């Protein structure tokens, strides 16, 4: 309730102030109007009418005959002869201008090519078309080489296993077919001994016998080839193992030499540090002696 009363009081006060301002302005305007009456202004009389005829446009007389190619005011008409006319040989001017433009174009191409070539040759501009060499140390390069050898060995082992699987599958398929042909051949031979067979079955029996002999020869050669292949692989594995052992031995030798070099360098650094420490201690002792000597001389002088 108190808020409503305060708001009503503020509105009444605002309205009273606005009314006082309005009354003050109105009264001041009325007083100023009464104090200064307006002055009477004398009107100027209009000019007397002119008796002269109005001016005529030159050539406005319809009865006057005009010259052809002229305006009524006397100006001359524009004709085609007033247009600008080309002078000289057009092809000669065009060739000279085109030669200049071609010279500017060729100069721009040469400048762009020379700038690009200089930037590429100086190494300022790098187009990243090659892999930059990373500054690996010797240990990292050795690790990369060992990893590359391991991957190459794994790839060769996978290829050998795949080749062995393919050859074993082919051998098993041909053995299975030979077994089926053998069963058919035995059946035909049994029927021949029992009661005889037809000419077609006889031809089939002869074909099966020839195929069996050919398979036996092929199987013998294949087993021999596989055995020789295994021996060759074993020989290659031994050679690789020997090369690997020599390489490991060389790496171990280099590692030991490197460790010995590091130990030698560390010993030299330790020796240099010990020498520097002794020199520093000697210098401190000499400084201490000089200080004691100076104190003695000061005491004697005092």
């Amino acid at each position: 309730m108190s808020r409503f009363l305060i708001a009503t009081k503020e509105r009444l006060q605002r309205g009273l102030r606005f009314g006082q301002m309005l009354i003050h302005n109105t009264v001041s305007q009325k007083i100023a109007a009464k104090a200064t009456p307006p002055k009477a202004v004398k009107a100027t009389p209009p000019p007397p009418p002119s008796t002269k005829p109005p001016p005529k446009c030159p050539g406005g007389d319809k009865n006057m005959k005009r010259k052809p190619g002229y305006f009524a005011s006397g100006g001359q008409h524009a004709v085609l002869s007033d247009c600008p006319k080309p002078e000289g040989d057009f092809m000669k001017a065009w060739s000279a201008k085109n030669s200049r433009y071609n010279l500017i174009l060729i100069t721009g191409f040469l400048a762009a090519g020379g700038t690009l070539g200089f930037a590429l040759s100086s190494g300022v501009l790098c187009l990243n078309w090659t892999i930059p060499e990373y500054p690996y140390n010797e240990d990292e390069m050795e690790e990369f080489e060992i990893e590359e050898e391991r991957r190459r060995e794994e790839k060769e082992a996978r290829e050998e296993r795949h080749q062995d699987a393919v050859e074993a599958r082919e051998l098993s398929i041909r053995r299975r077919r030979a077994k089926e042909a053998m069963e058919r051949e035995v059946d035909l031979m049994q029927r021949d001994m029992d009661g005889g067979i037809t000419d077609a079955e006889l031809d089939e029996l002869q074909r099966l016998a020839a195929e069996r002999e050919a398979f036996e020869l092929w199987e013998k050669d294949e087993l021999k080839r596989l055995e020789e292949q295994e021996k060759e692989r074993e020989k290659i594995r031994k050679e690789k193992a020997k090369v690997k052992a020599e390489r490991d031995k060389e790496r171990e030798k280099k590692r030991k030499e490197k460790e010995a070099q590091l130990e030698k360098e560390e010993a030299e650094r330790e020796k240099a540090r010990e020498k520097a420490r002794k020199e520093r201690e000697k210098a401190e002792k000499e400084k201490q002696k000089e200080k004691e000597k100076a104190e003695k001389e000061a005491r004697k002088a005092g």
Side-chain angles (χ1 to χ4, degrees):
M1 188 67 180
S2 61
R3 286 184 295 174
F4 286 116
L5 292 175
I6 293 169
T8 305
K9 183 180 178 181
E10 290 178 356
R11 288 181 182 179
L12 288 173
Q13 290 176 357
R14 197 183 301 115
L16 289 173
R17 286 197 298 269
F18 181 73
Q20 289 175 2
M21 293 172 61
L22 184 62
I23 291 169
H24 176 73
N25 295 334
T26 307
V27 171
S28 61
Q29 288 178 2
K30 287 181 178 181
I31 292 171
K34 289 179 181 181
T36 57
K39 295 181 180 180
V41 180
K42 188 176 181 180
T44 57
S50 179
T51 58
K52 295 181 180 180
K56 294 183 180 180
C57 179
D61 191 2
K62 296 181 179 180
N63 297 325
M64 185 179 67
K65 188 176 181 181
R66 282 183 274 169
K67 295 181 181 179
Y70 287 86
F71 291 104
S73 61
Q76 189 177 2
H77 290 184
V79 294
L80 189 62
S81 299
D82 296 333
C83 295
K85 301 175 184 178
E87 297 180 357
D89 190 358
F90 167 77
M91 285 302 299
K92 187 177 180 180
W94 181 83
S95 299
K97 189 183 294 185
N98 196 29
S99 300
R100 180 170 171 268
Y101 291 159
N102 290 336
L103 182 62
I104 294 172
L105 180 64
I106 294 170
T107 306
F109 279 133
L110 292 176
T115 305
L116 183 61
F118 176 76
L120 292 175
S121 62
S122 62
V124 177
L125 183 62
C126 179
L127 300 179
N128 294 325
W129 51 33
T130 58
I131 300 175
E133 294 183 359
Y134 188 82
Y136 296 111
N137 54 28
E138 294 181 0
D139 296 336
E140 290 176 338
M141 293 299 293
E142 186 176 355
E143 290 178 0
F144 293 155
E145 187 178 355
I146 292 171
E147 182 66 19
E148 186 66 24
E149 290 177 1
R150 185 186 63 80
R151 291 182 179 179
R152 185 165 56 251
E153 290 175 358
E154 289 181 354
K155 183 179 179 181
E156 292 176 357
R158 285 196 303 270
E159 291 177 354
E160 288 181 0
R161 288 196 299 270
H162 177 70
Q163 184 179 358
D164 294 342
V166 171
E167 292 174 352
R169 184 172 179 274
E170 183 181 1
L171 182 60
S172 63
I173 291 172
R174 297 193 67 168
R175 281 178 175 176
R176 178 172 52 81
R177 291 178 179 175
K179 184 178 179 182
E180 293 175 357
M182 179 69 70
E183 293 176 355
R184 176 62 177 169
E185 185 181 1
V186 170
D187 184 31
L188 290 175
M189 291 175 65
Q190 188 66 33
R191 288 172 55 188
D192 187 18
M193 288 187 296
D194 291 341
I197 55 177
T198 61
D199 295 339
E201 291 176 344
L202 182 60
D203 294 339
E204 184 181 359
L205 180 60
Q206 293 176 356
R207 182 178 58 81
L208 291 174
E211 289 179 356
R212 176 171 52 79
E213 292 176 358
F215 171 73
E216 289 176 355
L217 293 174
W218 176 84
E219 186 179 17
K220 184 178 179 181
D221 295 339
E222 183 69 13
L223 294 175
K224 185 178 180 181
R225 186 186 67 81
L226 292 175
E227 185 178 357
E228 292 177 354
Q229 183 179 354
E230 187 63 28
K231 289 181 180 179
E232 187 69 23
R233 288 179 180 176
E234 186 66 24
K235 182 179 179 181
I236 292 172
R237 280 194 290 267
K238 288 181 179 179
E239 291 178 356
K240 287 183 178 179
K242 184 178 179 181
V243 172
K244 186 178 180 181
E246 292 177 355
R247 192 183 300 114
D248 293 340
K249 186 177 179 180
E250 186 69 22
R251 288 172 181 169
E252 186 67 20
K253 183 179 178 181
K254 288 182 180 179
R255 186 180 62 81
K256 289 182 179 180
E257 290 177 355
K258 187 176 180 181
E259 290 178 356
Q261 182 69 21
L262 292 174
E263 290 177 358
K264 184 178 179 181
E265 292 176 358
E266 185 64 24
E268 290 178 355
R269 285 194 295 268
E270 186 64 27
K271 187 176 180 181
R273 285 195 293 266
E274 185 67 21
K275 184 178 179 181
R277 185 178 61 80
K278 289 181 179 180
E279 291 178 355
R280 188 167 56 252
E281 290 178 354
K282 184 178 179 181
E284 289 177 357
K285 288 180 180 180
E286 291 177 356
K287 189 175 180 182
Q288 186 68 22
K289 287 181 181 180
E290 291 177 358
K291 186 176 180 182
E292 291 175 356
K293 185 177 180 181
E295 290 178 354
K296 288 180 181 180
E297 291 177 353
R299 283 197 299 268
K300 287 179 180 180

